[in-house]
Amino acid sequence: MKKRTVLVLMMIIFIFVIVHIPNDGEVKNVLYGERHDIFETSTNTSRWFFDKMGHLYPQESIPNIELSKNKASIKEYYKNNPTAFCLIAANNKLNFNHYSDPNFDQLQDKLRFNLLQQVNAKLIDFSSTYILIHGFRKPITSQNSTTSAFLDNLIIKSAIQQNQRNNYFVEIYWDGMYDFFEAHKRNQHLESFQLFENEARTNAIYAGYGLRQMVSQLEVSKMTILSHSLGARVALSCLLNTFDEDVPNNAQSTPTPSQDTISICLIAPAISNSPFEEYYDRNTPLKFSEKDNYKLHILYNEDDIVLKKKISFIGPGAKKFGDTSLGCNHEQAIEKLKATFEHKYPASELFAIKIPIGHSHLAEHYVLSEQFRSFLDFNE
């Protein structure tokens, strides 16, 4: 009887944690046009916001309802609202009297320049730099008792600060999609898996290639890029010329980060091994095949219920609806990746760290683990 009760409870967790059903059947983008009421200025934190195409949000507010009408795209919003575009450009000391794609690109360049100038001026006062990247289904603030990107970052920063002081943080917010579900609609569970596979995973890649244009220009010799869940695709798109089929060729022409030491910490990565087939596909003058500036850490949990996408025999499994096998070591994915590094990338470091936290996928449980603290000590 006890085993049956446990199984029922696990099935309920499956429904409420993995099977996220949109409340109204609509795809829901995470929009940051009205973020200014949420975040306060911080002396040790910068926040960069990207839309679903990897385009950087301006400092100015944009009504979320207007972004939604324009396919959650800043570029589409500007095209259809040229007056607003010209005003925002003027605030950034660009004199435009109309919208055009080249003008849009110029504004994006200026937004990147402004943010980088602000951050680089501060980095000299800090001993460590962390880039934090959230995962799938993270609203900007908590909704319907869910975790949020903002809350996850607070918890991660607190965990890091307990071990290390004088850190500077760059929080990356991207359109990882969000849907609210109701239990009585669980028969529509395929919609959520398809949202993850077809929308959020693509958005992550565009965000990563957009992020690359900025991270590569951070004026530090050492930094740590830390991601959770689907944020791994953002991180790897920033670092490697990977996911070729999902991005235009010119996205891969920008320099990959060339700082002396880049520690990469993929927490519960919602990916397969395939991106690492292109681990040495980078745009950098460094001779990284002789001495790699990347140090890869993978924090995995074989019981992570979200990555396994299965309870007992119930569920599609890790390889369906977007392969998430690496983060839960499905079919010995970790061991296979170690073998790949030994044979193809002998000069590169790979550290695989098992996190025994049960079925949880929450960033909080990973970063509060003893193993994460050990990673921080090693990373100093």
Side-chain angles (χ1 to χ4, degrees), residues 222-279:
K222 177 182 178 181
M223 65 182 171
T224 300
I225 297 178
L226 189 153
S227 70
H228 175 242
S229 191
L230 190 57
R233 280 171 78 95
V234 180
L236 293 179
S237 299
C238 172
L239 296 161
L240 316 172
N241 291 328
T242 188
F243 307 114
D244 301 6
E245 68 280 4
D246 293 310
V247 293
N249 291 334
N250 61 355
Q252 298 185 337
S253 64
T254 55
T256 49
S258 297
Q259 288 84 354
D260 293 342
T261 303
I262 301 176
S263 293
I264 307 158
C265 182
L266 307 182
I267 300 174
I271 57 173
S272 68
N273 286 13
S274 61
F276 298 99
E277 293 298 319
E278 298 162 310
Y279 196 63

Side-chain angles (χ1 to χ4, degrees), residues 41-280:
T41 302
S42 173
T43 56
N44 73 337
T45 302
S46 179
R47 301 180 177 96
W48 300 349
F49 300 86
F50 296 89
D51 75 355
K52 70 175 187 179
M53 299 304 298
H55 293 139
L56 196 62
Y57 275 79
Q59 292 297 316
E60 293 80 5
S61 295
I62 300 174
N64 283 340
I65 191 170
E66 294 300 322
L67 287 170
S68 183
K69 290 177 183 178
N70 286 277
K71 304 176 184 178
S73 165
I74 293 172
K75 190 171 188 177
E76 287 296 317
Y77 169 75
Y78 286 156
K79 280 183 179 180
N80 295 318
N81 296 272
T83 300
F85 170 74
C86 292
L87 285 173
I88 292 172
N91 290 343
N92 288 276
K93 299 181 180 180
L94 294 174
N95 186 22
F96 298 144
N97 57 18
H98 68 286
Y99 172 88
S100 69
D101 288 351
N103 286 351
F104 173 81
D105 293 339
Q106 193 172 343
L107 176 57
Q108 284 287 296
D109 289 341
K110 190 63 183 296
L111 295 177
R112 284 190 288 266
F113 174 82
N114 291 343
L115 274 177
L116 285 165
Q117 190 175 48
Q118 295 168 13
V119 172
N120 283 329
K122 295 179 180 179
L123 289 178
I124 193 171
D125 296 324
F126 294 87
S127 57
S128 300
T129 303
Y130 283 84
I131 314 294
L132 308 181
I133 308 172
H134 66 80
F136 171 59
R137 196 177 180 268
K138 293 292 179 180
I140 191 169
T141 58
S142 298
Q143 297 181 27
N144 306 302
S145 301
T146 66
T147 60
S148 68
F150 178 57
L151 180 59
D152 279 2
N153 283 334
L154 283 177
I155 294 169
I156 293 169
K157 288 195 295 185
S158 176
I160 293 171
Q161 294 282 61
Q162 287 180 12
N163 274 52
Q164 305 169 355
R165 295 292 179 178
N166 201 35
N167 303 299
Y168 194 83
F169 298 96
V170 180
E171 299 177 1
I172 307 305
Y173 292 89
W174 60 283
D175 187 357
M177 313 300 289
Y178 175 75
D179 58 346
F180 174 62
F181 66 93
E182 295 174 295
H184 69 275
K185 293 187 178 182
R186 59 184 178 271
N187 61 313
Q188 301 174 7
H189 63 276
L190 288 179
E191 293 181 24
S192 183
F193 291 128
Q194 291 167 349
L195 178 64
F196 174 80
E197 182 179 30
N198 300 327
E199 301 286 343
R201 296 197 318 147
T202 301
N203 292 1
I205 297 168
Y206 278 106
Y209 279 104
L211 177 61
R212 177 192 296 191
Q213 298 179 65
M214 302 183 69
V215 169
S216 60
Q217 298 184 62
L218 288 175
E219 295 174 0
V220 291
S221 61
K222 177 182 178 181
M223 65 182 171
T224 300
I225 297 178
L226 189 153
S227 70
H228 175 242
S229 191
L230 190 57
R233 280 171 78 95
V234 180
L236 293 179
S237 299
C238 172
L239 296 161
L240 316 172
N241 291 328
T242 188
F243 307 114
D244 301 6
E245 68 280 4
D246 293 310
V247 293
N249 291 334
N250 61 355
Q252 298 185 337
S253 64
T254 55
T256 49
S258 297
Q259 288 84 354
D260 293 342
T261 303
I262 301 176
S263 293
I264 307 158
C265 182
L266 307 182
I267 300 174
I271 57 173
S272 68
N273 286 13
S274 61
F276 298 99
E277 293 298 319
E278 298 162 310
Y279 196 63
Y280 276 2

Side-chain angles (χ1 to χ4, degrees), residues 220-353:
V220 291
S221 61
K222 177 182 178 181
M223 65 182 171
T224 300
I225 297 178
L226 189 153
S227 70
H228 175 242
S229 191
L230 190 57
R233 280 171 78 95
V234 180
L236 293 179
S237 299
C238 172
L239 296 161
L240 316 172
N241 291 328
T242 188
F243 307 114
D244 301 6
E245 68 280 4
D246 293 310
V247 293
N249 291 334
N250 61 355
Q252 298 185 337
S253 64
T254 55
T256 49
S258 297
Q259 288 84 354
D260 293 342
T261 303
I262 301 176
S263 293
I264 307 158
C265 182
L266 307 182
I267 300 174
I271 57 173
S272 68
N273 286 13
S274 61
F276 298 99
E277 293 298 319
E278 298 162 310
Y279 196 63
Y280 276 2
D281 192 347
R282 311 176 197 172
N283 307 331
T284 173
L286 298 179
K287 296 181 179 180
F288 56 85
S289 62
E290 299 175 9
K291 183 181 179 181
D292 201 349
N293 62 320
Y294 292 0
K295 295 183 179 182
L296 177 63
H297 302 75
I298 297 176
L299 278 57
Y300 69 98
N301 172 16
E302 294 179 342
D303 297 317
D304 189 314
I305 199 171
V306 172
L307 299 180
K308 290 173 68 176
K309 304 193 200 84
K310 179 177 285 190
I311 294 177
S312 185
F313 56 88
I314 302 172
K319 288 196 171 183
K320 294 185 178 179
F321 297 103
D323 194 329
T324 55
S325 56
L326 182 61
C328 60
N329 196 25
H330 178 69
E331 296 182 347
Q332 304 300 301
I334 293 291
E335 287 72 16
K336 292 174 183 176
L337 186 59
K338 287 180 179 178
T340 297
F341 267 65
E342 288 174 4
H343 292 109
K344 295 182 66 175
Y345 317 122
S348 299
E349 295 181 283
L350 166 62
F351 305 92
I353 305 170

